[in-house]
Amino acid sequence: MRIGAVDFLNTLPLIDGLEHLSDIELKRAVPSALIGELLADRVDIALCSLIDYQRSPEPLRIVPCGLLGCAGSTMTVRLFSQVPIGRITAVHCDTDSHTSVALLRVLLDEVHGLQPALVHFDARNRRVVETGEVLQWPETMLLIGDKVVSDSAPAVRYPYQADLGAEWFEHTGLPFVFAAWLAKPGNTAADEAGVILDRQRRHNNERRDGMMAAHAAHHGWPVDLARIYVHEMITYEWTEAAYLGAMRFFESACRLGVIDAVQPLEGVPWSDEVGCSS
Amino acid sequence: MRIGAVDFLNTLPLIDGLEHLSDIELKRAVPSALIGELLADRVDIALCSLIDYQRSPEPLRIVPCGLLGCAGSTMTVRLFSQVPIGRITAVHCDTDSHTSVALLRVLLDEVHGLQPALVHFDARNRRVVETGEVLQWPETMLLIGDKVVSDSAPAVRYPYQADLGAEWFEHTGLPFVFAAWLAKPGNTAADEAGVILDRQRRHNNERRDGMMAAHAAHHGWPVDLARIYVHEMITYEWTEAAYLGAMRFFESACRLGVIDAVQPLEGVPWSDEVGCSS
């Protein structure tokens, strides 16, 4: 089985330990890259950015053996700004992410009444993708993943910040799902992988503290923040509330034209027909 | 003449160049320490924290040959918090400052309706003064001076920030004065020093860019921020508005019991009798 997973600290509770299994091949990439791996059949199952489920050119299904989500602050899906949120006119958006950029558009529109210009930003290299311009401190930027912590900007540069998970929860009262395990409908290796992933996640539930002690530094995290993060911020399980949060997000994204239509989440236990199309 | 001055980047426009004058002895210290130097007659004139004028056990006068103030953001008088401003219960306050702590109390009370506990915090050594406890990231802290920039906390630690200069200006529409030149009434060397300081400040007005290019790095500042800082943020002149801002601050501080009474600002051209006593 070939499994594609995000190489962030927050993914460890989903996959740590799999490296000891001989019939598993783990492929690591940033969230936005994994959908390509899956569609090209280079992996059987991948932890993809959630919105890619709706945007996929061919139908996919959810394997409900874990997710990366939240029900409040995430710490690592974060808007940084030198101007007050209400005065934002453009956002440099981390190309590692698809779902977070869509979430940003939804929140800025629904909560703040803003439709800023979006600029593709290679945050690792501090480079504007279209122009190649190097820009150390964009006026406003969306960053995701470990770099929010491991390469945190000096606070003095960004007096205005917003945690997208916290804003979503305040706005809707619902959890949010950033990434989920996706597979192609006929792939039976994905079902086998799903069983293993489900077992490993349950096993890892009790091991999070030890994992953080062992791996936080390698990912550039202070251990104190890492523990709070995987215990109190990131969620790993499909629940009905998580399903409802995901659908609420898709409906908003659809209304805003971020996606063309909302497909039901095939594979998630509570999934049902839904009606929005833009 | 013995001149006591703050050793912050923002003080250079007031004092840079004085080191070439043979009859001037410059003594550098943090703002909160200078009042002690003046009262002990170890300097003739000192750039003291403004509130010390009101708290001094013996009468002092203002020598109106410059000040450190603002009419909006200061960048370097800054509240950092891990919780939203409205939920602050205690603030670790940088012991380098007197006036900023008083300003914090006024703003939290008048703007936010908060009277948090205040903890003396040796911010350079990250140590609680009373207990000796080392505390890297207090939940809420007030920092002043170069360390706000040169030792800026990682943004991820402090999602909530407030610039006290900006808050004051929004609240009152007036400038704020953080530090002013003080002297004892009978000291004639202070008058001579005042003439020299006045001339040097005027001379330095046109030299700020060069000063920042030459000295920013030594103070731990990026040059881009340093230029914005001394051109657009920090003000250096007594004006009627600066005087009114100072008096408005004293009246608020007096109402709140931070000072016992408001003395007129002897030496400032617009000074007049005032009425508040707590």
Side-chain angles (χ1 to χ4, degrees):
Chain A
M1 286 156 277
R2 300 159 306 157
I3 298 178
V6 183
D7 190 22
F8 288 161
L9 183 74
N10 62 19
T11 316
L12 284 174
L14 296 176
I15 60 167
D16 192 56
L18 293 180
E19 67 277 12
H20 302 308
L21 304 180
S22 58
D23 50 354
I24 298 273
E25 182 194 334
L26 262 179
K27 184 156 203 165
R28 318 262 188 154
V30 298
S32 57
L34 286 164
I35 185 70
E37 298 296 301
L38 185 67
L39 290 172
D41 289 316
R42 287 193 288 265
V43 293
D44 298 303
I45 184 170
L47 188 64
C48 295
S49 198
L50 186 71
I51 198 123
D52 292 340
Y53 177 88
Q54 298 290 348
R55 286 175 173 166
S56 171
E58 57 180 296
L60 297 173
R61 64 190 167 110
I62 307 271
V63 185
C65 55
L67 55 73
L68 294 180
C70 67
S73 293
T74 62
M75 193 151 59
T76 53
V77 181
R78 201 156 172 141
L79 188 67
F80 293 90
S81 187
Q82 296 172 13
V83 298
I85 305 294
R87 286 191 224 149
I88 289 172
T89 55
V91 184
H92 284 67
C93 293
D94 192 338
T95 49
D96 283 357
S97 171
H98 288 159
T99 297
S100 301
V101 176
L103 176 59
L104 175 75
R105 289 181 63 183
V106 165
L107 289 172
L108 287 183
D109 181 76
E110 293 188 4
V111 178
H112 303 278
L114 297 172
Q115 297 83 31
L118 302 182
V119 181
H120 290 113
F121 187 55
D122 172 359
R124 285 162 207 282
N125 300 304
R126 303 257 163 207
R127 197 182 291 271
V128 177
V129 173
E130 278 79 1
T131 64
E133 179 196 4
V134 172
L135 197 52
Q136 188 66 7
W137 311 117
E139 183 173 270
T140 304
M141 64 180 174
L142 173 69
L143 294 186
I144 73 153
D146 293 334
K147 68 178 90 65
V148 173
V149 173
S150 62
D151 188 23
S152 184
V156 72
R157 294 276 182 178
Y158 291 106
Y160 304 97
Q161 299 177 38
D163 184 303
L164 298 200
E167 277 224 345
W168 174 259
F169 190 76
E170 278 167 34
H171 178 51
T172 65
L174 290 168
F176 193 82
V177 180
F178 288 98
W181 294 104
L182 302 188
K184 290 189 176 179
N187 187 321
T188 53
D191 294 314
E192 290 175 54
V195 171
I196 292 168
L197 284 165
D198 201 58
R199 194 175 59 207
Q200 193 70 39
R201 185 187 81 258
R202 291 168 195 274
H203 175 63
N204 286 349
N205 267 349
E206 308 302 314
R207 301 174 57 237
R208 290 185 203 168
D209 269 357
M211 270 179 226
M212 292 305 109
H215 298 295
H218 167 72
H219 288 265
W221 280 71
V223 174
D224 66 328
L225 276 189
R227 286 194 166 147
I228 294 168
Y229 184 56
V230 297
H231 277 296
E232 297 174 21
M233 293 182 167
I234 304 301
T235 59
Y236 294 98
E237 318 267 341
W238 277 103
T239 60
E240 185 165 9
Y243 163 72
L244 291 172
M247 293 311 293
R248 170 76 173 74
F249 166 61
F250 288 143
E251 285 156 22
S252 288
C254 185
R255 261 197 301 276
L256 197 58
V258 175
I259 53 177
D260 295 331
V262 180
Q263 308 298 329
L265 283 176
E266 297 294 350
V268 175
W270 305 274
S271 193
D272 208 339
E273 286 294 321
V274 279
C276 169
S277 70
S278 65
Chain B
M1 286 156 276
R2 300 159 307 156
I3 298 178
V6 183
D7 191 20
F8 288 162
L9 183 74
N10 61 20
T11 316
L12 284 175
L14 295 176
I15 61 167
D16 192 56
L18 294 181
E19 67 277 10
H20 303 307
L21 305 180
S22 56
D23 50 353
I24 298 272
E25 181 194 335
L26 262 180
K27 184 156 201 164
R28 318 262 189 157
V30 299
S32 58
L34 286 165
I35 185 70
E37 297 297 303
L38 185 67
L39 290 171
D41 290 316
R42 288 193 288 266
V43 294
D44 298 302
I45 185 170
L47 188 63
C48 294
S49 199
L50 186 71
I51 197 121
D52 291 341
Y53 177 88
Q54 299 289 348
R55 286 175 173 165
S56 171
E58 55 180 296
L60 297 173
R61 65 188 167 111
I62 307 270
V63 185
C65 54
L67 53 73
L68 293 179
C70 66
S73 294
T74 63
M75 192 151 60
T76 53
V77 181
R78 201 155 172 141
L79 188 67
F80 294 90
S81 188
Q82 295 172 15
V83 298
I85 305 295
R87 286 190 224 148
I88 289 172
T89 56
V91 184
H92 284 66
C93 294
D94 191 339
T95 49
D96 283 357
S97 172
H98 288 160
T99 298
S100 302
V101 176
L103 176 59
L104 176 75
R105 290 181 63 184
V106 165
L107 289 172
L108 288 182
D109 181 77
E110 293 188 3
V111 179
H112 304 279
L114 297 171
Q115 296 82 32
L118 302 182
V119 182
H120 291 113
F121 187 55
D122 172 359
R124 285 162 207 281
N125 300 304
R126 304 255 163 209
R127 195 182 293 270
V128 177
V129 173
E130 278 79 2
T131 64
E133 180 197 4
V134 172
L135 197 52
Q136 188 66 8
W137 311 119
E139 184 172 272
T140 304
M141 64 180 173
L142 173 68
L143 294 186
I144 73 152
D146 293 334
K147 68 179 90 64
V148 173
V149 173
S150 63
D151 188 25
S152 184
V156 72
R157 295 276 181 179
Y158 292 106
Y160 305 98
Q161 299 177 39
D163 184 303
L164 299 201
E167 278 223 345
W168 174 260
F169 190 76
E170 278 167 34
H171 179 50
T172 65
L174 290 167
F176 193 82
V177 179
F178 289 98
W181 293 104
L182 301 188
K184 290 190 176 178
N187 187 321
T188 52
D191 294 313
E192 290 174 55
V195 171
I196 292 168
L197 284 165
D198 202 58
R199 195 176 57 208
Q200 192 70 41
R201 185 188 80 258
R202 291 167 195 274
H203 175 63
N204 286 348
N205 267 350
E206 307 303 314
R207 300 174 57 236
R208 290 186 202 167
D209 270 356
M211 272 178 224
M212 294 305 109
H215 298 295
H218 168 72
H219 288 265
W221 281 70
V223 174
D224 65 329
L225 277 189
R227 288 196 167 146
I228 293 169
Y229 184 56
V230 296
H231 277 296
E232 297 174 21
M233 294 182 166
I234 304 302
T235 59
Y236 294 99
E237 318 266 343
W238 277 104
T239 60
E240 185 165 9
Y243 164 71
L244 292 172
M247 292 311 293
R248 170 75 173 76
F249 166 60
F250 288 142
E251 285 156 21
S252 288
C254 185
R255 262 197 301 276
L256 197 59
V258 175
I259 53 177
D260 295 331
V262 179
Q263 306 300 327
L265 283 177
E266 297 294 348
V268 175
W270 306 272
S271 193
D272 208 338
E273 285 295 319
V274 281
C276 169
S277 70
S278 65

